[in-house]
Amino acid sequence: MEKATPHVLIFPLPLLGHISPVLQLAEVLSLRGIRVTVLTTDHVKRRLGSDDENRPMGRKRFSLLSIPDGLPADHPRSAGQFLEVLRSLMVNSRHAYRDVLVSSCKISKTPPVTCAIVDGLMPFAAEVAEEEEIPFIVFRTSGPCSFWAYFSVPKLIEAGELPFPEECDMDELVRSVPGMETFLRRRDLPTICRVRDANDAHLQALSSSTQRTTRARGLIFNSIEQLDAALLTHINSCCPRTYTIGPIGELLRSLDCSVGSPPEWWREDRSYAAWLDAQPSKSVVYVSFGSLTVLRRSQILEFWHGLVSSGYRFIWAVRPDLLDGAGDVAAELKAWTEEKGCVVEWVNQTAVLAHPSVGAFLTHSGWNSTLEGICAGVPMICWPFFFDQMVNSRFVSEVWRIGLDMKDTCDRGTVAKMVKQAMEGESAEEMRRNVGRLSEMARQSVDEGGSSRVHLEQLVHDIRALSLEASALKVGKSV
Ligand code: UDP
């Protein structure tokens, strides 16, 4: 039988938190000898600054193709409108995706796709792969903890725990997420669970796309086996082929120490580096709410007052679309902040977190940011905004004990109190020790023989086996 060349197609949601780990995964698989094509939208491709299809962002190991997202060219696609972008993609991109899946070999003169890696939140990609009889593996870019909470939604509904009763106590524990019975409160479930109707379309869509994972040939997590060992036992009972290959950024660096910087989603003014260099060790709070959070002016003011009255210096990444509404809030903050800190548009977050002057991370608890905080060994103050972030922040504070959870409030008094708790005293010391241990565990997991390396080798082996299977199926069909 003719030996098929393994060729993987990966199509992440057009959101930075999905694109970044996918680009890293593409690099990692390419380094292990698998041919990879990443598919994205025309808009994202332009934003990544890639004008050469085979050299995205200076990298050269995988191909990058793009398709339209169905929105007009002048649509701003700002953070506050991301659901509109996703809706348009789901409705309009199915055919274009199918074309690339089935005939990318003609477009980019590559071998046929033998395996699709589909974004866990993009159900149509899995459906199309199934229809075309191309084996698919799910990549869930959020963590195992939120995956399991989403997976348990039918159980929560069946047990009458969802929807929440009217006027309920949000601090009461929920009992129907196996393994989380002793610490997960109503308020820690993904925000989509706060709906009034169990048949809510969004709740049902997220729940069913998570359930669909059981039909995949495998499930990839950007996480570390030891970090989520107990939960993974539960997950493996439903999805037996699970690959924990994270932190993928660190895995990539362990395979190729010459990798470039992460995508520059907004303009990075590197002058902040000199400011950081001038600060004493562990004296600065790094503040960032990721790439999608939008804040009201009143919330921004509460954070700012809280940070200033904590007495600690801070560096705050204020994206141009952070403010929910019009106005240049970054310019205002810059003017008030001169003395106490540094306001910038965008930073290289992994570099800032690794800087010796940074002592704590005020974060929205996005999964990538949570992993990056762990890798850098920096305690976190969590203000989750939506979706999986609610679960992540509970794990940070109650399971891993590496931070504090400010969920559902951001009044200046609480901000100041939590910043102090994360920066000084016994609680800060304890969190620092705990996160230091996890950071070491993350480093070991990507070293030769570490769990993420072992899972990667298994994944590569299985992708090769699927490719043989795909070519056997093709031969079977043609006789
Ligand atoms: N990020 C960055 N610079 C910034 C702010 C964020 O590089 O100024 C990166 C951060 O390192 C992370 C990603 O943006 O990799 C955000 O992903 P996450 O999953 O934390 O949150 P999301 O943006 O999806 O809400």
Side-chain angles (χ1 to χ4, degrees), residues 153-452:
V153 162
K155 279 201 189 88
L156 286 158
I157 294 174
E158 207 181 293
E161 294 198 281
L162 274 189
F164 303 151
E166 259 176 66
E167 311 270 319
C168 66
D169 176 1
M170 290 295 277
D171 290 323
E172 201 167 290
L173 294 176
V174 287
R175 306 284 179 184
S176 308
V177 185
M180 301 190 199
E181 299 88 342
T182 56
F183 59 86
L184 199 76
R185 303 163 303 177
R186 285 187 177 124
R187 73 170 76 251
D188 304 318
L189 283 167
T191 38
I192 197 79
C193 295
R194 296 185 183 194
V195 291
R196 304 251 30 97
D197 175 8
N199 294 317
D200 177 86
H202 290 118
L203 176 67
Q204 286 301 329
L206 269 165
S207 166
S208 65
S209 59
T210 306
Q211 295 290 328
R212 180 181 281 274
T213 314
T214 55
R215 294 159 69 153
R217 307 297 287 268
L219 168 60
I220 304 170
F221 280 120
N222 183 11
S223 191
I224 310 154
E225 190 178 30
Q226 296 82 343
L227 187 64
D228 296 305
L231 263 190
L232 285 165
T233 309
H234 288 286
I235 294 174
N236 280 329
S237 67
C238 310
C239 309
R241 282 210 172 269
T242 304
Y243 311 92
T244 40
I245 58 167
I248 301 178
E250 297 304 311
L251 182 65
L252 175 56
R253 270 183 281 281
S254 78
L255 295 171
D256 175 8
C257 54
S258 68
V259 291
S261 312
E264 209 177 307
W265 207 235
W266 293 99
R267 197 180 59 85
E268 189 192 346
D269 171 1
R270 291 189 176 78
S271 59
Y272 67 80
W275 183 87
L276 271 178
D277 288 345
Q279 310 307 318
S281 169
K282 300 205 185 311
S283 67
V284 174
V285 182
Y286 166 55
V287 187
S288 166
F289 299 105
S291 64
L292 288 176
T293 304
V294 286
L295 297 178
R296 293 191 301 276
R297 173 174 286 276
S298 57
Q299 292 173 316
I300 291 178
L301 286 179
E302 290 303 308
F303 278 117
W304 185 82
H305 279 290
L307 284 161
V308 170
S309 67
S310 76
Y312 284 95
R313 291 175 176 255
F314 58 91
I315 174 165
W316 188 347
V318 180
R319 300 181 333 260
D321 61 357
L322 178 71
L323 175 67
D324 188 6
D328 186 355
V329 75
E332 280 179 50
L333 290 180
K334 252 184 206 156
W336 307 333
T337 302
E338 252 169 47
E339 278 293 296
K340 294 304 295 182
C342 180
V343 173
V344 287
E345 197 166 287
W346 189 253
V347 299
N348 176 338
Q349 180 161 296
T350 44
V352 168
L353 283 168
H355 197 284
S357 69
V358 171
F361 180 17
L362 172 50
T363 170
H364 70 307
S365 297
W367 184 246
N368 293 289
S369 295
T370 303
L371 276 183
E372 289 159 12
I374 287 176
C375 290
V378 175
M380 288 172 252
I381 306 149
C382 305
W383 188 74
F385 181 61
F386 59 16
F387 294 109
D388 62 310
Q389 299 157 12
M390 301 290 158
V391 193
N392 303 342
S393 59
R394 189 63 172 167
F395 270 67
V396 164
S397 65
E398 290 302 304
V399 179
W400 304 318
R401 300 192 172 273
I402 55 174
L404 304 163
D405 190 359
M406 198 194 295
K407 186 174 287 146
D408 292 330
T409 173
C410 63
D411 65 277
R412 57 191 74 184
T414 308
V415 174
K417 191 174 102 201
M418 289 206 169
V419 166
K420 283 187 193 155
Q421 257 178 289
M423 293 291 278
E424 65 195 34
E426 246 174 63
S427 63
E429 282 308 314
E430 195 195 331
M431 288 188 282
R432 223 164 255 164
R433 272 196 304 277
N434 292 342
V435 73
R437 269 196 293 271
L438 294 191
S439 167
E440 180 56 21
M441 187 181 87
R443 202 190 52 71
Q444 285 176 5
S445 74
V446 300
D447 278 351
E448 194 74 51
S451 61
S452 296

